[in-house]
Amino acid sequence: MAEERKKIFEKIKEYHFEFKHVTVLFLILFIFQLVVSFINKASIKNFLTTTQEWYQKESAEEIANLTATALELVIESISKTDRKDAEQQKKIIQSFEIIFSQQQLSHNITNLSLLIRNKDKIIKVEDGKSLYNLLIEKNYNSSEVNSKEDEITRLYISVEDSLRRTEQITSIITDRKTFHTFVPFVIRGEYLGAVYLRNTPDFSSISNQVISNYDETSVIYLSLILLGLLAMYFISSYTVRERDTAQKMLFDEHEENLKKQINYEKELIFTKRIYHTHHKAEKIMGFIKEDLRTLSDNNIDEIKFRVSKYSNFISRVIYDMKWFDPPVQTIRNSMFRTDLNEVIKFIIDNIFLRISSQSTAFNIIFEPDNSLPIVNVNEFVIWEIIEPLIQNSIDHGGESNLIITVRTRYDSGSSKSYIIIEDNGRGIAKELLEKNENNLKLIFVENTTTKTQGLQNSGYGCYIAYEMTRRCGWNIDAENISDGGCRFIITINN
């Protein structure tokens, strides 16, 4: 269990929280709490409204029912002898008046009346004397009796059939706050009409008090949460700021160390590349010395031309020793007018075919395309491309009977020139033809070789050729031939 907790803690530590993350988290929590508060307030308000409507309806119907019951009891308690006594008549009328006026004392009740149908008319009674004349004396033509149709009588007509049939209390709500309540008026089992009560109960003060109390509670609650979040926010921000400061110092130190390491590796690699080109310069210097020893009147022009080319190549090698990344204008420029066939032929004849042991080790065949256009590239840069590729075939092709074929070809349709160098040797190791994460074949990667591990300065020939073709704006590829051997293809966009 302890081990699992440790793993979970280590997993959490992997996440990097910054100042902006803490800010976003704080805002989300605060907005979420604010939304919850508003939703809760709306729910309470809706609950209070629903409860009030239910209670208002029940209250209005209860008052109307009590009023109707009181009238029914008073009327049913009147005997025939009471009707003849003037004093008793006055008391009965007074009782009716008390019932009518008592309910209207409430500030919520705005109208109380008795609705009775007489043939095709609805009679509305609103005082005790009219009620006595109508129900006790059966005088339907009395001037106190109101038979004029108004809103109350129209509402009663709409519910009369239902009241007569069910004898149940019916309420009509208008404006969501006014209750028109009709209670069936039944005397001695006979339906006579309905007691009408208009009630406008007002519970806004109670609702406002509840909402006000809730608002106060919400403000206090949100204030406490806000203070807590602010405290967390400042503590977290301070912690994150301290951590970020430490990390920045660590990153700066790490960056400085990386720069030192990169500079050291560049210097080391540059040193190895200088050693690689220095070896070629030594070979060319040997040819120059040999030409000077064989100088005579008969060959002076030939040797002068050859030594001049050799010297210019040595100058280029020395120039490369000064620059890790030489300027582009020293590689390709409109001032350069180089014949590729001439440069390749010179390299083959005056570098590789001058080796005394070449006749038994290898043979180089050159097949030029005379339609090949002139290129605007320094011819000694082309030396640095062609020489390592031919040397690679010699070093890795085999011990004897090696045939190296160098050909040039121009495709007028696509306006592209090609330099193809192939041999019939062992070919390129399959692992060197695989691509790295940059989609580059490993044979063109720096310090990659299949030579003996003890040779510390090998693995730069194909890399130099690749770098130079890239700076010239050309493309280079390597492949194995199905019949044996390998092929390098340089594509030039004219």
Side-chain angles (χ1 to χ4, degrees):
M1 190 66 181
E3 186 67 24
E4 292 180 358
R5 285 199 299 268
K6 185 177 179 182
K7 289 182 179 179
I8 294 173
F9 181 72
E10 292 295 330
K11 189 69 177 177
I12 294 174
K13 286 175 64 179
E14 294 178 3
Y15 295 96
H16 179 72
F17 289 97
E18 297 181 354
F19 186 80
K20 60 183 178 181
H21 298 149
V22 177
T23 304
V24 171
L25 182 61
F26 167 75
L27 291 176
I28 289 174
L29 288 175
F30 183 74
I31 293 172
F32 175 76
Q33 184 57 43
L34 205 59
V35 170
V36 168
S37 177
F38 279 120
I39 293 175
N40 197 15
K41 181 179 179 180
S43 299
I44 291 177
K45 194 170 183 179
N46 184 55
F47 171 75
L48 288 174
T49 302
T50 304
T51 304
Q52 286 175 16
E53 290 179 354
W54 170 82
Y55 179 74
Q56 288 168 351
K57 181 180 178 182
E58 290 294 320
S59 174
E61 291 181 353
E62 185 67 24
I63 294 173
N65 186 36
L66 290 174
T67 303
T69 303
L71 287 173
E72 290 172 357
L73 290 175
V74 171
I75 292 172
E76 289 181 353
S77 65
I78 299 173
S79 63
K80 292 182 179 181
T81 57
D82 294 336
R83 302 176 190 175
K84 299 177 181 179
D85 189 348
E87 185 67 26
Q88 288 296 328
Q89 291 179 5
K90 187 177 181 180
K91 289 182 178 181
I92 292 171
I93 293 172
Q94 187 177 7
S95 298
F96 288 155
E97 291 288 354
I98 291 172
I99 293 173
F100 276 103
S101 61
Q102 185 68 35
Q103 301 302 332
Q104 296 189 40
L105 291 176
S106 175
H107 69 280
N108 293 329
I109 299 175
T110 58
N111 190 284
L112 175 62
S113 57
L114 179 62
L115 302 169
I116 298 175
R117 176 174 285 280
N118 179 27
K119 297 179 182 180
D120 58 344
K121 294 181 179 180
I122 301 298
I123 300 173
K124 183 171 67 172
V125 180
E126 296 179 328
D127 59 81
K129 187 175 180 181
S130 298
L131 180 60
Y132 182 84
N133 290 334
L134 183 66
L135 295 181
I136 306 302
E137 298 295 336
K138 304 296 182 181
N139 184 5
Y140 292 95
N141 296 319
S142 174
S143 60
E144 291 86 0
V145 176
N146 185 8
S147 61
K148 184 180 179 181
E149 184 174 333
D150 56 8
E151 181 186 4
I152 296 174
T153 58
R154 286 195 295 271
L155 289 173
Y156 173 68
I157 291 172
S158 66
V159 298
E160 183 181 11
D161 291 338
S162 176
L163 286 172
R164 187 184 299 275
R165 186 176 60 256
T166 61
E167 294 188 0
Q168 291 185 353
I169 300 174
T170 302
S171 294
I172 300 175
I173 305 174
T174 59
D175 302 329
R176 298 196 63 179
K177 60 182 179 179
T178 302
F179 291 81
H180 303 271
T181 305
F182 296 90
V183 181
F185 188 66
V186 180
I187 302 297
R188 298 181 182 91
E190 181 184 359
Y191 177 84
L192 297 180
V195 174
Y196 168 76
L197 181 68
R198 181 165 61 193
N199 190 3
T200 309
D202 184 13
F203 293 93
S204 59
S205 60
I206 299 175
S207 301
N208 292 336
Q209 186 64 33
V210 173
I211 295 298
S212 176
N213 291 337
Y214 176 77
D215 288 340
E216 292 178 3
T217 305
S218 297
V219 169
I220 295 173
Y221 182 65
L222 282 174
S223 300
L224 292 175
I225 291 180
L226 179 61
L227 289 175
L229 289 175
L230 285 173
M232 293 171 56
Y233 177 76
F234 286 116
I235 293 173
S236 301
S237 301
Y238 178 78
T239 305
V240 169
R241 186 169 61 251
E242 290 292 323
R243 184 202 61 190
D244 288 345
T245 302
Q247 285 186 342
K248 186 177 184 305
M249 294 174 62
L250 180 62
F251 289 156
D252 291 343
E253 183 179 355
H254 185 60
E255 181 182 3
E256 188 67 25
N257 292 334
L258 282 177
K259 288 180 179 178
K260 292 180 180 179
Q261 182 67 21
I262 291 171
N263 290 333
Y264 172 76
E265 291 179 357
K266 283 184 177 180
E267 291 175 359
L268 182 62
I269 293 171
F270 188 45
T271 302
K272 291 181 178 180
R273 287 175 57 188
I274 290 175
Y275 179 86
H276 184 82
T277 53
H278 177 71
H279 174 70
K280 297 182 183 300
E282 283 184 330
K283 182 170 65 174
I284 298 300
M285 288 300 298
F287 294 155
I288 293 175
K289 292 177 182 179
E290 184 180 348
D291 283 341
L292 292 176
R293 284 195 298 268
T294 59
L295 183 64
S296 65
D297 295 336
N298 297 328
N299 61 5
I300 186 170
D301 292 332
E302 177 186 352
I303 290 179
K304 181 180 178 182
F305 172 77
R306 195 161 53 228
V307 170
S308 176
K309 291 285 188 180
Y310 287 154
S311 300
N312 288 332
F313 178 72
I314 295 297
S315 298
R316 181 69 193 189
V317 169
I318 295 172
Y319 178 81
D320 286 344
M321 290 180 182
K322 298 191 302 180
W323 299 89
F324 176 76
D325 190 11
V328 176
Q329 62 268 22
T330 64
I331 297 174
R332 47 180 174 165
N333 198 309
S334 58
M335 63 178 291
F336 299 127
R337 307 281 297 171
T338 303
D339 186 341
L340 289 173
N341 291 329
E342 180 184 337
V343 173
I344 295 171
K345 180 173 176 56
F346 184 87
I347 293 172
I348 293 172
D349 294 341
N350 297 287
I351 294 179
F352 292 103
L353 296 183
R354 288 193 62 163
I355 302 174
S356 58
S357 60
Q358 63 84 22
S359 58
T360 58
F362 62 88
N363 185 29
I364 301 178
I365 301 173
F366 180 45
E367 300 175 357
D369 183 351
N370 294 325
S371 63
L372 204 68
I374 299 297
V375 294
N376 302 120
V377 177
N378 190 320
E379 65 173 296
F380 301 105
V381 173
I382 298 174
W383 276 38
E384 293 181 278
I385 297 173
I386 301 300
E387 192 275 337
L389 298 179
I390 298 176
Q391 189 65 49
N392 182 79
S393 294
I394 295 173
D395 293 340
H396 301 282
E399 297 298 330
S400 61
N401 299 322
L402 177 66
I403 299 175
I404 302 171
T405 303
V406 181
R407 66 170 66 93
T408 58
R409 183 168 62 86
Y410 175 65
D411 184 359
S412 58
S414 59
S415 297
K416 292 183 178 181
S417 301
Y418 300 91
I419 302 175
I420 302 169
I421 302 172
E422 60 184 22
D423 61 58
N424 62 344
R426 291 192 295 265
I428 303 171
K430 292 182 179 181
E431 60 270 17
L432 295 181
L433 295 178
E434 295 178 358
K435 295 182 179 180
N436 62 6
E437 63 277 4
N438 297 322
N439 201 32
L440 177 64
K441 291 183 178 180
L442 296 179
I443 191 171
F444 298 120
V445 177
E446 191 170 16
N447 203 22
T448 302
T449 181
T450 56
K451 290 184 180 180
T452 307
Q453 295 298 319
L455 300 175
Q456 296 297 322
N457 294 289
S458 60
Y460 287 93
C462 292
Y463 167 74
I464 292 174
Y466 166 76
E467 283 294 318
M468 290 301 175
T469 54
R470 185 174 62 85
R471 292 170 184 171
C472 292
W474 302 348
N475 294 319
I476 186 171
D477 194 15
E479 61 184 13
N480 282 325
I481 304 173
S482 57
D483 296 334
C486 69
R487 179 186 294 121
F488 290 95
I489 303 172
I490 299 172
T491 303
I492 303 167
N493 296 312
N494 296 305

